[in-house]
Amino acid sequence: MVKNDQRHIKVLQQQIVDAESQLVKSKESLKMWTKDLKELTVSVENIRATGCESKAKNLNTAIIKLNAKLERLVKEKAFFDNDACPTCGQDIEFALKTGAQSKIQNEIEEIDKASIQAMTMFKEETKGVDDINEMLARAQSFKQEINNIEYDIRMNNKIISDCNQSIQNIQQDNGSVEHEEGVHEQMCREIEDLKRKRNELTDDITNHDV
């Protein structure tokens, strides 16, 4: 085997060692990220099991409806601030006005109380939703990291495979050369042997003639 081939094989062998070392590190990192992703996924499932997402959605809808009703009641109460109807001009009796305003005010207070309670509950459920969204964002980054590590593993496996194949090719090529050199040497020995036998035969003939 020529020196250049030996040097090339040493370079390839070092590349294999480096790739195998990187493989060990990548596989350990993959285990860590996979474990973290699994734990994060479990946490998301546990929070979702509380139903915070659907509760927050329903509470938000309820708050919108309560606010709309509250706005309507405020307008109705303001109507009875007038002594006469702004549209037709008919007088509004004092007793009717005060009775209606009192009733409307009671409704406003009840709805306002319900709205505050719903808003408090909404904030609590929204915290769970925010936690889920934050965890999902982290999970996405974990998945990207796992994809990158898996790509590195594939690339290092390819490096090892390609280097091994290159070493095998060099060894096979050198084996073929050595075989051909051996055949050539054998043929040379056989030719020399034939020449020797020819010379011996010539000497025998010469001696016989004498």
Side-chain angles (χ1 to χ4, degrees), residues 3-203:
K3 290 183 179 180
N4 285 339
D5 288 338
Q6 291 176 339
R7 284 195 294 269
H8 190 193
I9 287 177
K10 286 183 179 180
V11 170
L12 292 170
Q13 288 173 335
Q14 185 59 51
Q15 289 179 358
I16 292 173
V17 170
D18 293 342
E20 288 177 341
S21 176
Q22 187 59 45
L23 268 178
V24 172
K25 295 177 182 178
S26 295
K27 288 179 179 180
E28 286 300 317
S29 294
L30 183 61
K31 288 180 182 178
M32 181 191 71
W33 285 105
T34 302
K35 177 176 176 291
D36 289 347
L37 178 60
K38 184 177 180 180
E39 291 175 353
L40 196 61
T41 301
V42 171
S43 296
V44 170
E45 291 173 353
N46 289 339
I47 297 176
R48 275 183 167 162
T50 65
C52 61
E53 291 170 306
S54 59
K55 289 178 183 178
K57 182 179 179 181
N58 293 335
L59 284 166
N60 184 58
T61 301
I63 290 169
I64 292 173
K65 290 180 178 179
L66 287 170
N67 288 338
K69 188 173 182 179
L70 189 61
E71 184 178 352
R72 178 177 59 79
L73 287 172
V74 169
K75 288 180 179 179
E76 287 182 7
K77 185 183 178 185
F79 171 81
F80 288 102
D81 286 338
N82 300 305
D83 293 329
C85 175
T87 304
C88 65
Q90 184 178 354
D91 291 340
I92 301 175
E93 295 180 3
F94 179 78
L96 175 63
K97 181 167 66 170
T98 55
Q101 285 183 324
S102 177
K103 181 181 178 182
I104 293 172
Q105 181 60 36
N106 289 336
E107 286 188 60
I108 288 175
E109 291 175 358
E110 289 179 4
I111 292 175
D112 190 48
K113 182 179 178 181
S115 180
I116 292 172
Q117 184 179 3
M119 181 59 71
T120 301
M121 295 172 62
F122 175 74
K123 288 179 179 179
E124 292 175 356
E125 301 301 337
T126 299
K127 183 181 182 304
V129 175
D130 291 341
D131 289 342
I132 289 175
N133 291 333
E134 187 271 335
M135 289 180 183
L136 289 176
R138 287 171 57 197
Q140 188 61 38
S141 67
F142 285 8
K143 289 177 182 178
Q144 184 59 51
E145 190 65 32
I146 288 172
N147 288 337
N148 293 338
I149 294 172
E150 289 176 339
Y151 175 80
D152 289 341
I153 289 174
R154 290 195 299 272
M155 290 299 99
N156 281 298
N157 279 326
K158 187 176 186 304
I159 289 172
I160 293 171
S161 177
D162 290 347
C163 288
N164 280 324
Q165 185 61 53
S166 296
I167 290 173
Q168 185 178 347
N169 291 340
I170 292 171
Q171 290 173 337
Q172 287 177 347
D173 290 343
N174 279 281
S176 298
V177 171
E178 290 173 359
H179 175 70
E180 291 175 1
E181 289 176 349
V183 171
H184 178 71
E185 290 175 359
Q186 180 64 29
M187 290 178 63
C188 289
R189 286 195 296 271
E190 290 176 356
I191 291 172
E192 290 298 324
D193 190 52
L194 288 173
K195 287 180 179 179
R196 182 181 56 79
K197 289 181 179 180
R198 186 192 63 185
N199 292 335
E200 290 176 355
L201 181 59
T202 301
D203 291 341

